[in-house]
Amino acid sequence: MAAQDQPFKISEKQNYALLINDRVRKYGSKIALRAKKEGQWQEISWTNLGKKLACAAKAMLEMGLSDTQMISIYSQNMPECTITDIASLSIRCVPVYIYPTSTAQQAEYIVNDSESQLIFVGGQDQYDNALRFFKASAWLKKIIVFDPNTRLDGTDSSMYYDDFLESGKKSALGEEIDNRLSRASQDDLMTLIYTSGTTGVPKGVMLSHYNMLFSAASHDVRLLDPNENDVSLCFLPLSHIFERAWTYYALYHGMEVCYLDDPKKIIEVLPQVKPTIMCAVPRVYEKIYAAVYHKLESASLPKRKLFNWAIKTGAAANNRKKDQQPIPAALGLKYKIADKLVLKKIRDAVGGKIRFMPCAGAPLSQEIEEFFYAVGIFVWYGYGLSETTATATCHPPYHFKFGLVGTPMPGVQIKISKEGEILVKGGTVMQGYYKKPGETESVFEDGWFKTGDAGEFDKNGELRITDRIKDLIKTSGGKYVAPQLIESVIGADHFVEQVTVIGDNRKFVSALIVPSFEVLEEYARINNIFFASRIELVRHPAIIELYRKRIDDRSQDFANFEKIKEFTLLPDELTVDREEITPTMKIKRKVITEKYNGVIDMMYEPD
């Protein structure tokens, strides 16, 4: 299906740093960046941002960085990440992010593959890991540490970021920044985004300045007037294309960007920041949804009835807004009551000022998407990959359908191959995989990028993702099963933290389930189910029966061959550290099936 004609003009700037320089001059004393340090929110104005960018760029020049050389940023989210990022762009260098909880081995791989000259680290954990491979590196010149409380090893291998900036402040190389930018081209490499490696070794996705500027122009056409009055909360890892591209876009529009260095504190921070726009992956919405319904289960019958009435009323009113239909007076009055008594309180939990929340990265249950829209929070659901500079499709602002991932972004073309694979073409598609021509060639076909995802277009022109082609399960009976769909439906239950569907070459579908232990342990206490450990808890017959019933209730719309026949409750969460899930919470199915092979085999043993 062809996209809309390209109704926008891409910025004539040859480098994203030039565009940010314009914003520095335009916004001056307005707040650009904000972060909480030592218990207090600290602000950086656009003017001060400009000064820090110049100091950081000159400091990099003092360290001998040449055009197109790379640096690595290995840190939790903080303003220093973005300052370093844009400063490197302003001398035509290339910033490469490493997920903050990556092991030393994982970080070393990215540093070596990208041939990074400098590595900027957040705090003690990242610094200690960087030290392990610094001496063996053929490229690294220095470790630069953001957190001044980090203990350094006392050698000349390391320095604090404040000292780094001071060296730039004293530098006389400012003219060289202008010289570098005068040679800039929109085709210059802007960044490498390393894939999460669900099926193999991470690959560096090459994105140009043109890719990012094209994406920004495309978003301008589709989104609801993002502007300098908006506040964005940056809490997803900047190593991931979703948050990274959005942060670029937010600054492009002069938004205030607030940084959260610990995603686990998101619920605590939301009322403080009061974001108007915030990117999130489906797991965030699932957790909020689960928390709401967990509280509801212990509420009195009148309160449960009020809640359900309010959600139903909110859905009726907001769905008419979605379809640009007038709201009858009687419904409008009921909505005001529902909003005051219930809906507004839920919105307040996410700060109370949300205009919309972009969402991508994994399947989102339609049930959850509809819930948030009923509450008055537009989860702007979309689809994309690192290779497509994030968003390839998203909902139009009106007349969209829940459960779908929207229409192609302006200037982007999408079609479905004969095999059912989603193919993408347009200005957001990557240049290729860094130093991997073979892998690059394998994912392009006649100029179309092969996403590896299976999909189809709905009659209204919106895309439906059916599953990862490589992730499809084929049972021994020859039935194809889309595991992500099942996982999104079962995972929406507030008793479930994580779920992995199994069944490839097996007689039936089974699952490994990690309970939401906070919810489950409370349930056990209320029902006098005694346990000495989580292992004992997940093996208790009453608990197994509880999950059996909940799984069966949620599986009613599945075909019989898609239903989970057996499951095992796991006592520990799947983690990034053990490489069971990716930094964006995607399941590494191959790793999990190999690691839990014995547990899985037991589910298929005859009774």
Side-chain angles (χ1 to χ4, degrees):
M1 173 182 174
Q4 308 169 31
D5 291 334
Q6 185 175 317
F8 54 81
K9 182 179 180 182
I10 299 168
S11 171
E12 295 178 356
K13 299 297 181 184
Q14 299 299 303
N15 182 295
Y16 179 81
L18 285 169
L19 191 149
I20 291 300
N21 289 342
D22 286 348
R23 302 304 184 260
V24 168
R25 289 188 288 271
K26 178 178 180 179
Y27 294 117
S29 61
K30 180 183 178 296
I31 298 171
L33 314 178
R34 198 152 61 102
K36 201 170 191 178
K37 296 188 178 182
E38 297 179 359
Q40 299 295 321
W41 285 97
Q42 298 181 13
E43 302 167 350
I44 298 174
S45 70
W46 278 94
T47 297
N48 285 335
L49 173 59
K51 292 176 181 178
K52 289 178 180 291
L53 289 173
C55 289
K58 288 187 289 182
M60 290 181 203
L61 291 172
E62 290 287 346
M63 292 188 172
L65 264 67
S66 303
D67 290 45
T68 72
Q69 287 189 322
M70 302 193 189
I71 64 162
S72 288
I73 301 172
Y74 181 25
S75 171
Q76 56 273 73
N77 291 1
M78 54 179 71
E80 289 82 356
C81 295
T82 298
I83 293 167
T84 303
D85 181 333
I86 300 173
S88 70
L89 296 176
S90 70
I91 58 169
R92 295 187 68 226
C93 286
V94 182
V96 180
Y97 281 78
I98 301 170
Y99 187 69
T101 62
S102 293
T103 64
Q105 184 180 11
Q106 292 166 338
E108 183 178 16
Y109 173 83
I110 292 176
V111 167
N112 288 340
D113 191 65
S114 64
E115 301 178 13
S116 289
Q117 304 291 303
L118 303 174
I119 183 167
F120 294 80
V121 301
Q124 196 69 55
D125 289 346
Q126 294 92 3
Y127 175 68
D128 291 343
N129 283 344
L131 273 180
R132 293 176 190 172
F133 57 79
F134 177 80
K135 289 183 180 179
S137 173
W139 295 281
L140 281 180
K141 298 175 179 178
K142 188 79 74 173
I143 305 172
I144 298 143
V145 187
F146 293 149
D147 184 357
N149 297 314
T150 301
R151 299 181 306 279
L152 305 189
D153 71 343
T155 70
D156 61 359
S157 65
S158 323
M159 67 187 301
Y160 290 114
Y161 195 67
D162 288 345
D163 296 329
F164 170 78
L165 291 179
E166 187 62 27
S167 71
K169 186 177 181 180
K170 295 174 181 177
S171 172
L173 295 177
E175 189 174 326
E176 176 60 15
I177 298 175
D178 296 332
N179 291 338
R180 296 273 182 103
L181 289 174
S182 69
R183 301 195 292 272
S185 163
Q186 286 191 349
D187 292 330
D188 285 350
L189 183 62
M190 184 175 184
T191 190
L192 297 181
I193 301 287
Y194 276 83
T195 60
S196 52
T198 54
T199 57
V201 175
K203 299 183 289 289
V205 174
M206 297 190 293
L207 299 178
S208 67
H209 287 264
Y210 179 80
N211 290 143
M212 205 64 69
L213 293 171
F214 190 103
S215 176
S218 180
H219 279 70
D220 282 350
V221 176
R222 179 62 57 88
L223 299 186
L224 294 170
D225 185 33
N227 58 68
E228 65 267 22
N229 297 315
D230 281 312
V231 176
S232 177
L233 178 58
C234 174
F235 83 99
L236 297 177
L238 281 164
S239 53
H240 187 243
I241 185 59
F242 192 24
E243 189 69 80
R244 179 84 169 287
W246 179 261
T247 298
Y248 282 146
Y249 184 68
L251 293 172
Y252 163 83
H253 273 291
M255 297 183 202
E256 177 184 321
V257 178
C258 301
Y259 293 77
L260 179 58
D261 60 2
D262 183 358
K264 293 178 182 177
K265 296 180 180 178
I266 181 68
I267 301 300
E268 169 192 331
V269 167
L270 281 169
Q272 300 172 21
V273 173
K274 300 184 186 302
T276 59
I277 305 173
M278 181 183 81
C279 289
V281 291
R283 192 63 192 137
V284 173
Y285 303 104
E286 290 168 359
K287 282 182 171 291
I288 295 171
Y289 177 86
V292 169
Y293 276 89
H294 176 54
K295 288 183 179 179
L296 187 66
E297 284 200 350
S298 59
S300 64
L301 180 60
K303 284 187 176 180
R304 291 202 299 273
K305 286 185 175 181
L306 173 63
F307 178 88
N308 291 329
W309 171 82
I311 295 297
K312 184 177 180 180
T313 302
N318 286 319
N319 285 341
R320 292 187 71 85
K321 291 180 184 178
K322 173 177 71 72
D323 296 330
Q324 295 184 304
Q325 297 176 348
I327 298 176
L331 177 58
L333 178 60
K334 288 196 290 184
Y335 180 77
K336 286 182 180 179
I337 297 170
D339 194 60
K340 182 177 181 180
L341 296 178
V342 177
L343 307 182
K344 183 179 182 300
K345 293 177 182 178
I346 300 174
R347 293 198 304 275
D348 285 345
V350 293
K353 292 188 176 182
I354 291 291
R355 295 206 295 123
F356 58 84
M357 296 175 74
C359 175
L364 175 66
S365 165
Q366 182 174 336
E367 170 188 344
I368 294 177
E369 188 183 0
E370 290 178 340
F371 166 79
F372 277 96
Y373 205 83
V375 167
I377 296 173
F378 181 14
V379 175
W380 208 318
Y381 197 29
Y383 162 76
L385 304 91
S386 300
E387 291 90 340
T388 62
T389 320
T391 318
T393 72
C394 75
H395 283 320
Y398 304 103
H399 303 287
F400 60 86
K401 284 187 177 181
F402 298 113
L404 306 178
V405 294
T407 55
M409 293 294 288
V412 174
Q413 293 176 283
I414 293 180
K415 69 178 182 179
I416 309 299
S417 74
K418 293 179 182 178
E419 297 74 27
E421 184 174 9
I422 299 167
L423 308 180
V424 183
K425 182 187 285 187
T428 59
V429 175
M430 67 169 181
Q431 296 178 323
Y433 295 121
Y434 187 60
K435 297 192 296 188
K436 289 181 169 55
E439 285 88 339
T440 299
E441 184 179 357
S442 70
V443 296
F444 281 94
E445 184 176 289
D446 298 326
W448 292 85
F449 170 67
K450 298 158 64 177
T451 64
D453 289 318
E456 60 190 15
F457 281 105
D458 190 71
K459 60 184 179 181
N460 72 335
E462 286 197 77
L463 184 65
R464 175 183 289 107
I465 308 297
T466 54
D467 218 293
R468 288 287 296 176
I469 286 178
K470 294 178 181 178
D471 217 18
L472 286 174
I473 287 173
K474 186 179 181 181
T475 67
S476 58
K479 298 290 188 180
Y480 282 96
V481 176
Q484 290 189 5
L485 173 62
I486 301 171
E487 288 161 355
S488 68
V489 172
I490 303 302
D493 190 303
H494 62 281
F495 273 81
V496 175
E497 183 67 25
Q498 295 166 319
V499 55
T500 305
V501 167
I502 309 295
D504 203 32
N505 294 316
R506 303 277 189 171
K507 292 182 292 184
F508 54 81
V509 171
S510 65
L512 300 174
I513 294 175
V514 177
S516 174
F517 281 104
E518 182 179 354
V519 175
L520 180 57
E521 288 169 3
E522 181 180 342
Y523 173 88
R525 286 191 292 270
I526 291 171
N527 290 275
N528 296 317
I529 298 172
F530 301 102
F531 59 96
S533 67
R534 285 185 173 178
I535 293 177
E536 189 174 312
L537 178 61
V538 299
R539 292 176 179 173
H540 196 288
I543 297 301
I544 293 172
E545 181 57 31
L546 167 71
Y547 278 84
R548 167 50 63 201
K549 184 177 185 306
R550 300 189 79 92
I551 291 169
D552 288 347
D553 287 346
R554 286 191 163 271
S555 303
Q556 292 178 16
D557 293 333
F558 292 151
N560 189 54
F561 66 85
E562 295 175 311
K563 293 180 179 179
I564 295 170
K565 300 293 193 299
E566 297 289 342
F567 64 91
T568 298
L569 300 178
L570 301 179
D572 299 302
E573 278 193 41
L574 306 175
T575 69
V576 175
D577 293 345
R578 295 197 299 270
E579 299 189 16
E580 296 161 329
I581 57 175
T582 73
T584 53
M585 305 298 139
K586 294 175 185 173
I587 291 166
K588 290 190 174 184
R589 204 173 307 278
K590 182 179 179 181
V591 172
I592 293 171
T593 53
E594 288 176 356
K595 182 172 182 177
Y596 292 94
N597 185 57
V599 175
I600 294 168
D601 283 346
M602 288 178 64
M603 292 191 286
Y604 291 92
E605 290 181 355
D607 293 336

